[in-house]
Amino acid sequence: MLRPLAGPAVIFLLGSAAAQHGVVMVPDTATTPLPKAVEAGGGTYVDKGLVAAGMLPAGTIDFLGDTLGSFSSLMIEPGSWQRDGDTYTGVLWTLPDRGRNDPERGVFFDYRGRLHRFRFSMTLSEPAVPAIRRQRASLPRATVAAEAAPTTAAVTIVPDGGRVLQDFDGKPFTGADPGTGTRIERGIVLPSPTDGTGAGKISLDAESLQFTRDGGFYVGDEYAANVYRFDKGGRLTGVIVPPRSIRPLDADGKPDFSSLHAPATGRRNNQGVEGMALSPDGKRLFVALQSALVQDTRAGDAAGRTLTRVLVYDVSRDAVPRRPMAHYVVRLPAYDADGAGGKPNRTAAQSEIRVLDDRRFLMLARDGAGLGAEGDKPIVFKSILLVDTSGATNLAGSVYETGTASLLGDGGDLRADIRTATWEPLVNLLDPADLARFGLTLDPRAQGKALLSEKWEAMDLVPALDTEHPDDWFLLVGNDNDFIARHCVMDGRRCDSAIDNDNRILVYRLSLPRTRSTAASHHR
């Protein structure tokens, strides 16, 4: 179980099936000074705050001549992370999704699946940090947010090529929606347009990335909810096909891979494998859906999508196992999109995970407001949760996995015999003081600062390599800008938007229990 030592303004439904799970009624803006700590399993997890940030202009062109879309997922290449004084460097790989698109108008591009490679550098100004912390602790929060001095800590990300993803036959993937089209490779039914844009290629909406120790990597997909295994050259070597409960199926039980409508059962459209990460020992692969499956969705508004699934695969012997060893339910936060204290009407989408040990992982959950979003809704919730599966029901092999049985009981809520994983907020991205020091704001009317973008979807953990603080880690958090740029090029065609939504990375400093610190060699 998790016990918060300090928490944000989240209202908890104590004494109900949702105990210890948040319902956010008003903007979840940080109001207490950092650091903030949470205890779990006998260890203490500490958020020490935002220490660096960097950006790349939205109009940057990538190694294939397209607008460089940020970051559905990111990871520092294992073995590349180094420290020299106050400067850290490494090779950063990032994953764009399916390219610029406008589903409502049927606009898709034959966007080749790819990874982007960057030279990553971060220089910290540690002496300034304690002074900033003292200033924040002694002033009213609103004053600190308005007057916070800029920091000299900086992140630089320099494009340095990339890697094209190829299928079993060496053909590129496409970002185009497959519609009703499929193709079969090695006995696996895969999404593939039958004509028009991307015809004959495997459709890929890439959302999650995880490198393996042999230089290969996994990529999680939205269309089929598959996990694709690639070798270090980017060639497909295997596919983890999800259990029947998660596969998008029509009313006749046939594959329904399109993103333009919800299937009869399985993953919701555009709500596939959004988060994925290996355990520190590399033996277990955790796979998280963005929100509830169709059959687990409560009728009514979008607050009924909170019961997402997390699968755990044993990949110690087989890189593409046929079935999971564990299968859990995590209840995501629900929130009022107007932030006005009303009834929750949205689900905070799960956007990335990073595994700490066999039972615990960090999960990034967010609302749909901020720069790049339509409308003028306030930013309400963007937090990184510490999730613990210790007491959760394992659904592996049950009818909730092998079939399409719903998790919901007669009252429309989770069945009483199924226990969810527990969680507590650890890192709150909605910290006006921290954001202001790096030129960011939560207020769309603020002058001279950039509005925090809508979609924060990427995370990685790397050790601080600090002998005085051996349990300290950096948490890299990246946005997905959806290729929104005033000057946009995609597959040789223009795709301009009215604004620039720049590519950004925020870096937080955490202290994690020693069990996690023993995994530092994975990044060295």
Side-chain angles (χ1 to χ4, degrees):
M1 299 292 289
L2 304 178
R3 180 169 63 87
L5 301 184
V10 178
I11 297 176
F12 292 100
L13 301 182
L14 297 176
S16 74
Q20 295 192 359
H21 295 267
V23 175
V24 185
M25 316 278 283
V26 296
D28 180 33
T29 305
T31 58
T32 56
L34 295 171
K36 185 188 82 173
V38 168
E39 289 186 349
T44 301
Y45 300 75
V46 183
D47 169 22
K48 297 184 176 182
L50 187 61
V51 295
M55 62 84 70
L56 198 65
T60 302
I61 300 300
D62 75 5
F63 70 108
L64 294 179
D66 295 322
T67 294
L68 190 152
S70 56
F71 306 127
S72 288
S73 193
L74 59 78
M75 189 171 181
I76 295 290
E77 180 179 300
S80 71
W81 187 244
Q82 299 179 30
R83 178 183 182 180
D84 183 5
D86 292 332
T87 298
Y88 295 82
T89 59
V91 175
L92 176 69
W93 291 92
T94 71
L95 182 72
D97 52 31
R98 59 179 170 172
R100 191 79 170 102
N101 60 81
D102 188 349
E104 293 184 359
R105 295 175 175 80
V107 176
F108 293 93
F109 293 88
D110 188 12
Y111 182 78
R112 286 173 282 177
R114 67 198 72 180
L115 301 183
H116 290 133
R117 188 179 191 269
F118 298 88
R119 298 193 303 275
F120 179 95
S121 177
M122 176 174 70
T123 300
L124 302 182
S125 54
E126 289 294 341
V129 173
I132 292 171
R133 296 287 184 234
R134 288 194 297 272
Q135 176 196 40
R136 293 171 61 191
S138 63
L139 293 176
R141 192 70 178 182
T143 303
V144 177
E147 299 181 0
T151 180
T152 57
V155 167
T156 303
I157 45 177
V158 179
D160 191 28
R163 187 174 294 165
V164 176
L165 305 181
Q166 303 172 10
D167 67 13
F168 291 117
D169 299 326
K171 298 178 182 177
F173 290 75
T174 182
D177 189 277
T180 59
T182 61
R183 77 185 258 196
I184 298 177
E185 288 196 12
R186 301 192 181 183
I188 304 170
V189 180
L190 299 168
S192 178
T194 55
D195 53 32
T197 303
K201 300 175 183 177
I202 299 174
S203 294
L204 176 66
D205 186 358
E207 294 289 348
S208 44
L209 171 68
Q210 173 65 62
F211 277 94
T212 56
R213 293 178 178 177
D214 63 1
F217 52 94
Y218 292 99
V219 170
D221 169 55
E222 294 251 71
Y223 284 123
N226 288 336
V227 174
Y228 296 104
R229 177 69 159 87
F230 295 88
D231 64 21
K232 60 184 179 181
R235 186 77 166 259
L236 184 64
T237 61
V239 181
I240 299 177
V241 177
R244 180 178 174 83
S245 63
I246 289 171
R247 297 175 208 160
L249 303 174
D250 66 16
D252 296 323
K254 297 179 181 178
D256 187 0
F257 295 127
S258 177
S259 66
L260 301 179
H261 61 263
T265 61
R267 66 97 182 103
R268 297 191 66 83
N269 50 316
N270 300 308
Q271 304 278 294
V273 180
E274 192 76 19
M276 180 181 62
L278 284 167
S279 58
D281 61 9
K283 294 181 179 180
R284 298 184 181 188
L285 182 69
F286 288 62
V287 176
L289 278 291
Q290 186 167 357
S291 72
L293 304 179
V294 172
Q295 63 266 31
D296 299 335
T297 299
R298 192 175 65 242
D301 60 44
R305 304 176 183 177
T306 58
L307 299 174
T308 196
R309 310 282 191 105
V310 176
L311 309 179
V312 184
Y313 292 91
D314 181 355
V315 293
S316 61
R317 294 180 177 83
D318 183 356
V320 287
R322 296 184 61 185
R323 56 184 61 88
M325 61 180 289
H327 183 161
Y328 303 114
V329 179
V330 177
R331 189 187 293 271
L332 300 171
Y335 66 94
D336 172 15
D338 292 322
K343 179 181 177 182
N345 56 9
R346 296 288 188 275
T347 295
Q350 180 283 128
S351 293
E352 185 61 286
I353 63 173
R354 277 296 174 256
V355 178
L356 304 178
D357 55 40
D358 288 348
R359 292 291 184 179
R360 299 175 186 88
F361 54 89
L362 300 179
M363 173 179 280
L364 172 58
R366 58 167 182 82
D367 63 11
L371 184 65
E374 296 182 359
D376 57 355
K377 298 292 185 182
I379 300 174
V380 174
F381 184 85
K382 300 184 195 297
S383 279
I384 295 159
L385 314 176
L386 175 59
V387 183
D388 189 343
T389 64
S390 298
T393 303
N394 186 353
L395 301 179
S398 73
V399 295
Y400 305 107
E401 178 178 285
T402 60
T404 58
S406 173
L407 297 174
L408 303 181
D410 293 338
D413 202 357
L414 179 66
R415 292 174 56 93
D417 58 341
I418 299 175
R419 300 182 305 278
T420 64
T422 57
W423 58 256
E424 293 291 351
L426 178 61
V427 179
N428 186 356
L429 272 62
L430 308 189
D431 186 321
D434 262 357
L435 294 173
R437 292 191 296 110
F438 294 93
L440 298 171
T441 182
L442 303 176
D443 183 358
R445 301 163 299 179
Q447 300 296 316
K449 292 184 175 64
L451 181 66
L452 190 70
S453 59
E454 171 198 3
K455 295 183 178 180
W456 293 89
E457 296 193 354
M459 290 195 303
D460 197 19
L461 275 169
V462 288
L465 305 179
D466 186 341
T467 56
E468 294 184 5
H469 304 281
D471 298 336
D472 277 14
W473 290 72
F474 295 121
L475 178 69
L476 280 58
V477 184
N479 71 333
D480 175 7
N481 71 349
D482 279 340
F483 301 86
I484 295 174
R486 287 190 172 94
H487 182 85
C488 176
V489 179
M490 189 69 49
D491 199 25
R493 296 156 55 191
R494 295 298 293 271
C495 50
D496 298 351
S497 297
I499 63 170
D500 280 327
N501 189 1
D502 293 325
N503 313 275
R504 294 187 182 274
I505 291 178
L506 305 178
V507 182
Y508 295 84
R509 187 157 183 154
L510 308 181
S511 180
L512 302 176
R514 185 59 56 91
T515 52
R516 173 70 200 187
S517 298
T518 59
S521 59
H522 180 72
H523 289 275
R524 291 176 179 167

